[in-house]
């Protein structure tokens, strides 16, 4: 049993040898930290996960350890969170590691790989399968310790102005999609576009782009894409799970009393679970509203999925061949994924598929 | 957004209005509690979840709040945990609420219903969909506040001496299976048996019973059933998720400082997530060993699942007609389940089914 994996990481002294009776003024200093986000406050579940962490840490310390959350751009640009934490400019920050694949594609294992682990598997790999240790070893190079701290679950495949009936419909398609998924789609003829969320609606409306992906019904609904690109495709195979992490500057972390370290670690575990639960409830309600307003749900055609799957794993092999960090974690991840797929296919997928089918018919 | 659902429940003062600067000797009294379990220590993940809660609470309080875990039977029989907590004989206890369906079948919503919510849905319903509030209102009648605190994920359908090729093979089958699932199977001709875990192997070996269900590969492997009943069926449709809770005596709870309440609440959320991750990793490895030793995986035939599904919902309707507690929660649960099934079928099940299928072929 690898139980200690979770609770010793970074807080070994706190958990394994509680300092019974040793409390004194020094063990509970008054500390104020800033927590910057890669997300705007309008992504209320992701920002809510940050607030939950801050509120919980405060409650656990009788208010002596205060962490103030800031939305993307308030103190630090959303794509510079890791840099700000690394330098110690801020004590901690929250966001998805895969925003930093430009530094090193290895970051993506901390968030999502196209056709990779689902949320259940990501959590199992992180908490129990060795994934968190591997990612921490990698992130130590950035002077950071990190904690899984939010997960959206599987995302949607985005909004399309026209139906996609097969792979030929993707040739030349101008699709707002970032990161590795864009590189994969480029291999089969898509023209990936990088557009800030606030500009996507107009680009879709005017036909500057043909399609755009964002998150899922709850977040997408606010941006109104269904009005100008009604075909809503699934699944978002590039994010079968999407983890955000809390990054903590390693020097600041090492300066914390063990009980404050324990408070951060456990609050992140709670926020990670809570955010998925909250997304599941809000997404199911938003999807009903979107359908009532004319959004047309469509599954990606099988030949599209097949071509993208092949392109994805071909890309991973290419990256692994040239990047030792990526290769090391890719090998461990591939082994875990294969075994986990074999098991969850039997016990979970057979149950889900049967029950969902019956539930639909009754 | 219902974020406050999680963090205010029972600990409102702690989270919403942290007592900044008000710490004094009284806010951190030295307290020792006993936590009794419905599980033997041999169920190491479930017992491990208890130890994780105790260790985490200790770390968060610099050792001042100590909770000592006891296995089933050490202080209190495994099926009397709720009674012991209700009376205040012990401060808290850990186990599945559905052990108490004899008192009131309403308890089952806190653990599992046959063909009910999967683990993802159970967590979403509890943390974000109103389920925890409903169950707490019900459990208040037993002088208890409770917290989701472990989940096995979907379980297996058990070990059979002979293959089940259709519903006729279930007529007269002597099957070790407890609770509501036994009542459902009795409706289609099975003869449910109640046998303690330690006696099941011999009963299977001698043919006193024809089949037995327990948990999943990791726990089942230790009991050796594969040697005498090699057909291992899936899915365990009676436990598509199986939550255990921490029950806390309400008077003892109300006597805790807010920060100690917060420590229990957050530690349970962590243990709930950790236990599923740990089961997923250990089960996938145990399944590989069991298969290598001759266990024969078999899916339940569709006519068996169909008959059991119909019998299950017919039973729930019968219970709801005569029990107002059950009816109230069944209505809320049914509504949540229907909406959640519709949504997760689209976004998660389509992803899982495609990826698992490709992963199997490559």
């Amino acid at each position: 049993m690898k139980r200690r994996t979770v609770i010793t990481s970074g807080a070994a002294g706190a958990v394994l040898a509680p300092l019974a009776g040793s409390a004194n003024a020094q063990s509970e200093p008054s500390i104020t930290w800033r927590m910057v986000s890669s997300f705007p406050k309008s992504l209320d579940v992701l920002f809510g996960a940050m607030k939950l962490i801050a509120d919980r840490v405060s409650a656990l310390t009788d208010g002596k350890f205060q962490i103030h959350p800031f939305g993307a751009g308030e103190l630090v640009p959303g794509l510079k969170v890791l840099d700000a934490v690394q330098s110690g400019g801020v004590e901690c920050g929250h966001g998805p590691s895969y925003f930093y694949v430009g530094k090193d594609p290895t970051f993506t294992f901390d968030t999502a790989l196209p056709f990779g682990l689902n949320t259940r598997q990501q959590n199992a790999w992180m908490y129990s399968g060795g994934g968190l240790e591997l990612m921490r070893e990698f992130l130590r190079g950035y002077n950071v310790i990190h904690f899984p701290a939010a997960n959206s679950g599987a995302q949607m495949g985005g909004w399309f102005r026209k139906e996609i009936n097969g792979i030929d419909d993707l040739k030349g398609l101008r699709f707002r999609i970032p990161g590795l998924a864009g590189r994969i789609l480029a291999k089969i003829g898509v023209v990936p576009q990088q557009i800030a969320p606030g500009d996507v609606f107009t680009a879709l409306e005017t036909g500057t782009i043909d399609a755009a992906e964002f998150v899922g019904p709850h977040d997408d609904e606010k941006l109104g894409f269904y009005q100008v690109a009604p075909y809503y495709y699934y699944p978002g195979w590039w994010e079968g799970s999407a983890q955000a992490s809390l990054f903590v500057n390693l020097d600041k972390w090492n300066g914390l009393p063990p009980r404050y370290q324990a408070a951060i670690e456990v609050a992140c575990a709670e926020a990670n679970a809570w955010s998925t639960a909250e997304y599941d409830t809000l997404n199911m309600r938003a999807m009903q509203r979107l359908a009532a307003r004319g959004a047309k749900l469509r599954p990606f055609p099988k030949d599209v999925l097949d071509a993208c799957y092949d392109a994805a794993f071909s890309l991973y092999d290419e990256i692994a061949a040239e990047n030792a960090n990526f290769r090391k974690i890719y090998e461990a991840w591939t082994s875990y994924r294969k075994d986990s797929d074999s098991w969850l296919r039997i016990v979970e997928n057979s149950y889900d598929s049967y029950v969902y089918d019956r539930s639909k018919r009754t």
Side-chain angles (χ1 to χ4, degrees), chain A:
Chain A
M1 191 171 70
K2 293 194 62 183
R3 190 174 64 86
R4 294 299 181 185
T5 303
V6 179
I7 57 174
T8 62
S9 46
V15 174
L16 294 180
L19 307 170
S22 73
N24 54 40
Q26 263 198 316
S27 86
E28 290 212 276
S30 288
I31 296 180
T32 301
W33 275 16
R34 292 156 299 173
M35 181 195 291
V36 295
S37 179
S38 290
F39 304 114
K41 290 182 174 175
S42 56
L43 292 177
D44 56 351
V45 181
L46 295 168
F47 200 76
M50 287 178 58
K51 289 197 290 187
L52 179 59
I53 294 166
D55 287 348
R56 183 59 88 185
V57 166
S58 174
L60 290 167
T61 61
D62 263 353
K64 293 195 207 71
F65 186 10
Q66 291 289 334
I67 305 178
H68 297 302
F70 294 89
E74 288 192 280
L75 290 183
V76 169
L79 299 177
K80 294 289 185 187
V81 165
L82 180 70
D83 306 77
V85 176
Q86 181 179 1
S87 71
V90 294
E91 295 81 9
C92 63
H94 187 257
S97 290
Y98 72 179
F99 278 1
Y100 310 103
V101 292
K103 298 178 191 288
D104 189 324
T106 309
F107 279 104
T108 203
F109 292 102
D110 198 53
T111 311
L113 267 78
F115 297 106
L117 306 179
N118 65 20
T119 301
R120 175 85 171 254
Q121 295 175 305
Q122 178 75 7
N123 288 337
W125 186 56
M126 281 284 150
Y127 291 135
S128 177
L132 188 55
E133 290 84 347
L134 285 168
M135 289 313 301
R136 282 194 175 155
E137 184 185 355
F138 170 71
L139 274 154
R140 204 174 297 133
Y142 295 82
N143 197 35
V144 155
I145 181 170
H146 77 297
F147 306 85
N151 200 313
S152 65
Q155 299 192 4
M156 288 292 282
W159 300 88
F160 290 68
R161 287 164 53 98
K162 295 182 182 163
E163 282 191 88
I164 301 298
N165 294 309
I167 194 165
D168 289 342
D169 291 339
L170 292 179
K171 309 285 183 202
L173 186 100
R174 292 157 301 169
F175 187 15
R176 186 262 175 190
I177 184 166
L180 284 182
R183 288 176 66 182
I184 291 163
L185 283 162
K187 283 180 179 251
I188 59 166
V190 167
V191 185
Q193 310 283 313
Q194 310 284 341
I195 302 177
D199 300 327
V200 172
F201 184 92
T202 303
L204 274 177
E205 187 177 32
T206 58
T208 307
I209 59 173
D210 305 301
E213 72 91 40
F214 192 48
V215 183
H218 173 68
D219 293 320
D220 293 7
E221 185 184 28
K222 300 169 208 161
L223 300 179
F225 301 150
Y226 65 93
Q227 300 166 46
V228 288
Y231 298 101
Y232 200 18
Y233 275 85
Y234 68 89
W237 47 262
W238 45 91
E239 284 167 312
S241 168
Q243 177 188 309
S245 290
L246 182 74
F247 308 106
V248 180
N249 177 279
L250 207 46
D251 304 313
K252 303 288 184 187
W253 173 258
N254 290 330
L256 287 180
R259 69 191 296 183
Y260 287 13
Q261 293 181 338
I264 286 181
E265 185 168 34
V266 74
C268 287
E270 178 183 43
N272 195 39
W274 168 81
S275 58
T276 306
E278 183 78 350
Y279 260 124
D280 283 350
T281 298
L282 296 177
N283 276 331
M284 79 184 190
R285 294 187 180 139
M287 190 63 241
Q288 291 174 336
R289 289 191 298 271
L290 286 167
R293 287 177 196 153
K296 300 174 200 308
L297 271 174
R298 295 286 185 277
F300 280 121
K302 186 158 185 311
D303 70 334
V304 168
L305 292 177
D306 286 345
C308 293
Y309 189 98
D310 292 337
F313 285 86
S314 151
L315 176 64
Y316 307 153
D317 289 342
E318 289 167 26
I319 299 172
E322 64 192 23
N323 180 318
N325 289 329
F326 188 95
R327 184 165 60 248
K328 177 180 176 179
I329 298 181
Y330 184 51
E331 284 170 2
W333 179 90
T334 298
S335 169
Y336 191 91
R337 172 178 179 265
K338 182 170 174 289
D339 291 345
S340 175
D341 283 356
S342 296
W343 165 236
L344 294 180
R345 179 174 60 235
I346 293 165
V347 72
E348 295 285 342
N349 192 242
S350 69
Y351 182 82
D352 292 348
S353 297
Y354 180 80
V355 170
Y356 291 159
D357 181 61
R358 282 300 307 258
S359 165
K360 189 179 185 177
R361 289 186 287 121
T362 48

